Amino acid sequence: MLEPTLMSTLDTSPQATALSTVYGPVTSWRVGASLGIDLLYQTSICSFNCIYCQLGDIQQKTIQRAIYVPTDKVEWDLKNSAWEQADIITFSGNGEPTLALNLGEVIQLVKQYTQKPVMVLTNGTTLQDPAVRQDLRHADIVAVKLDAADNASLQQMNRPVAGVTLDGIVEGAIALRQTFTHKLVLQCMFMPANLQQAQGIADLANRIQPDELQLNTPKRPYPKEWHRESRGNHGDLPYPHVALKYLNEAEALSIENTIRQHTHVPVVSVYKPQL
Ligand code: SF4
């Protein structure tokens, strides 16, 4: 429970949450009410620069791990947030959460304080690092992004920093699967640009052996500039943005059918979220 003094000062307005490393809860089609933890916070920081990223063009493109926000600040922000209204606590925010060196420490802190399940969304680029896999061991769900089945599509969809390869991502995900005993998910974002990747992604799923494969398409617009408030934003953006080409229901169903034909991994789709 929150201490009375914290309860009385709780302010979950957009202005207040924009200054916090903890935001939401926001509603997710996959997991319900999700409270976000942002370990990047200072700006957008990622080893990818996806063409559909809700943060817009990534400001700091890097694969170097560092402490971007002190654990003490995250702890205070969590205690002063609406965490009790959340079904799950999600590490995502302003970029790639595994770039935060204090990820493992904060996961344990969040679990002890809230007693709620924790999910980490990752682009998979750091999973070859044993220290990252060690940090993830206390998460209840790890969701790994996989939008491409070859390096050309990886470059087109995700625009990674130099040195990142599809083989490295897949090998990292396989290594995580070998030791991670909780729920491992592959999240695939489909657009017209990667429609032809469906069968290849199903083949990679057969190698990685996740518990679930989630199909999505980018319905949120692409901001023309970075705003911290873009993290977890599920509504209309109050600043300049461009609409993205996403899949219609027939295209999504076609992809779903292709993937189901080539893998035994359970598939859920943003258009039809039941197994
Ligand atoms: S991995 Fe996530 S945060 Fe990074 S660029 Fe892609 S969508 Fe944005």
Side-chain angles (χ1 to χ4, degrees):
M1 290 291 292
L2 290 176
E3 297 165 17
T5 49
L6 287 179
M7 286 291 282
S8 63
T9 58
L10 186 67
D11 181 356
T12 57
S13 66
Q15 292 82 358
T17 55
L19 299 173
S20 175
T21 57
V22 179
Y23 56 96
V26 296
T27 303
S28 161
W29 68 275
R30 297 175 298 249
V31 292
S34 167
L35 189 82
I37 306 276
D38 180 8
L39 296 183
L40 291 317
Y41 182 74
Q42 304 293 343
T43 184
S44 57
I45 303 168
C46 195
S47 44
F48 274 180
N49 187 20
C50 301
I51 59 174
Y52 55 79
C53 183
Q54 69 189 72
L55 303 171
D57 186 45
I58 293 297
Q59 301 297 290
Q60 188 174 333
K61 303 173 183 78
T62 181
I63 197 162
Q64 296 303 316
R65 302 189 81 201
I67 292 185
Y68 297 97
V69 186
T71 300
D72 286 355
K73 170 163 174 58
V74 184
E75 182 175 12
W76 195 94
D77 289 343
L78 175 69
K79 292 178 178 177
N80 202 28
S81 75
W83 66 269
E84 287 172 303
Q85 298 167 18
D87 299 317
I88 192 167
I89 317 291
T90 303
F91 286 74
S92 174
N94 270 293
E96 169 54 35
T98 66
L99 294 181
L101 268 173
N102 53 346
L103 173 65
E105 178 180 70
V106 179
I107 290 174
Q108 292 186 68
L109 182 157
V110 167
K111 284 191 68 80
Q112 283 170 7
Y113 185 76
T114 69
Q115 301 292 310
K116 290 182 185 268
V118 160
M119 176 167 72
V120 179
L121 308 183
T122 175
N123 62 22
T125 56
T126 62
L127 293 178
Q128 284 185 295
D129 181 348
V132 171
R133 301 198 297 273
Q134 181 81 356
D135 280 352
L136 292 171
R137 71 192 188 285
H138 292 295
D140 298 276
I141 305 174
V142 173
V144 181
K145 179 183 295 299
L146 189 67
D147 303 334
D150 58 45
N151 279 308
S153 187
L154 180 78
Q155 292 296 330
Q156 184 183 16
M157 290 291 292
N158 306 119
R159 301 183 296 192
V161 297
V164 170
T165 65
L166 187 71
D167 278 351
I169 292 169
V170 172
E171 293 307 321
I174 290 171
L176 179 66
R177 173 74 295 177
Q178 288 170 351
T179 55
F180 184 67
T181 54
H182 300 143
K183 185 172 181 178
L184 179 64
V185 172
L186 288 184
Q187 288 189 336
C188 310
M189 190 70 88
F190 278 100
M191 303 175 72
N194 66 339
L195 272 178
Q196 304 305 319
Q197 301 289 301
Q199 183 175 334
I201 286 174
D203 294 339
L204 292 178
N206 289 335
R207 289 178 55 201
I208 296 168
Q209 292 289 307
D211 298 293
E212 185 178 288
L213 198 152
Q214 296 176 348
L215 307 182
N216 205 346
T217 192
K219 290 186 170 177
R220 296 181 215 165
Y222 184 84
K224 289 188 173 176
E225 55 194 31
W226 174 70
H227 294 264
R228 181 175 291 114
E229 300 87 329
S230 295
R231 59 186 185 181
N233 191 310
H234 284 214
D236 294 334
L237 299 187
Y239 33 78
H241 55 269
V242 292
L244 293 170
K245 289 181 182 170
Y246 58 86
L247 303 191
N248 61 38
E249 191 162 354
E251 290 170 324
L253 193 58
S254 168
I255 286 205
E256 189 176 337
N257 288 338
T258 300
I259 288 180
R260 283 188 195 281
Q261 284 166 11
H262 290 89
T263 183
H264 56 271
V265 174
V267 176
V268 295
S269 164
V270 66
Y271 286 107
K272 189 163 63 72
Q274 309 83 16
L275 285 177

